[in-house]
Amino acid sequence: DSMASILKLVDDPADKAQVAAMDALAMFGERSESGVAAVAKHLSSAHWQIRVTASQALGGIGSMEGV
């Protein structure tokens, strides 16, 4: 399942992989709602780029978790 593969990358050790995965989830929109919890935990990342990407991804998914 492609969604499961993308969700695994949200927690990849490489920041670029995390960003790419969260961007992909945002493009799927509401269909990636199962990834909200995985993305939301990155809102407290030490890296500002990851926090911004997580917030944008949650907005793309349509979740109020990032608000």
Side-chain angles (χ1 to χ4, degrees), residues 43-56:
L43 291 171
S44 59
S45 172
H47 304 280
W48 69 267
Q49 298 94 334
I50 300 296
R51 292 192 308 267
V52 169
T53 302
S55 181
Q56 291 173 336

Side-chain angles (χ1 to χ4, degrees), residues 4-29:
S5 298
I6 294 170
L7 285 172
K8 287 180 187 176
L9 290 174
V10 170
D11 291 321
D12 193 273
D15 290 349
K16 288 183 179 183
Q18 292 176 16
V19 168
M22 289 189 274
D23 283 344
L25 290 173
M27 290 191 315
F28 278 105

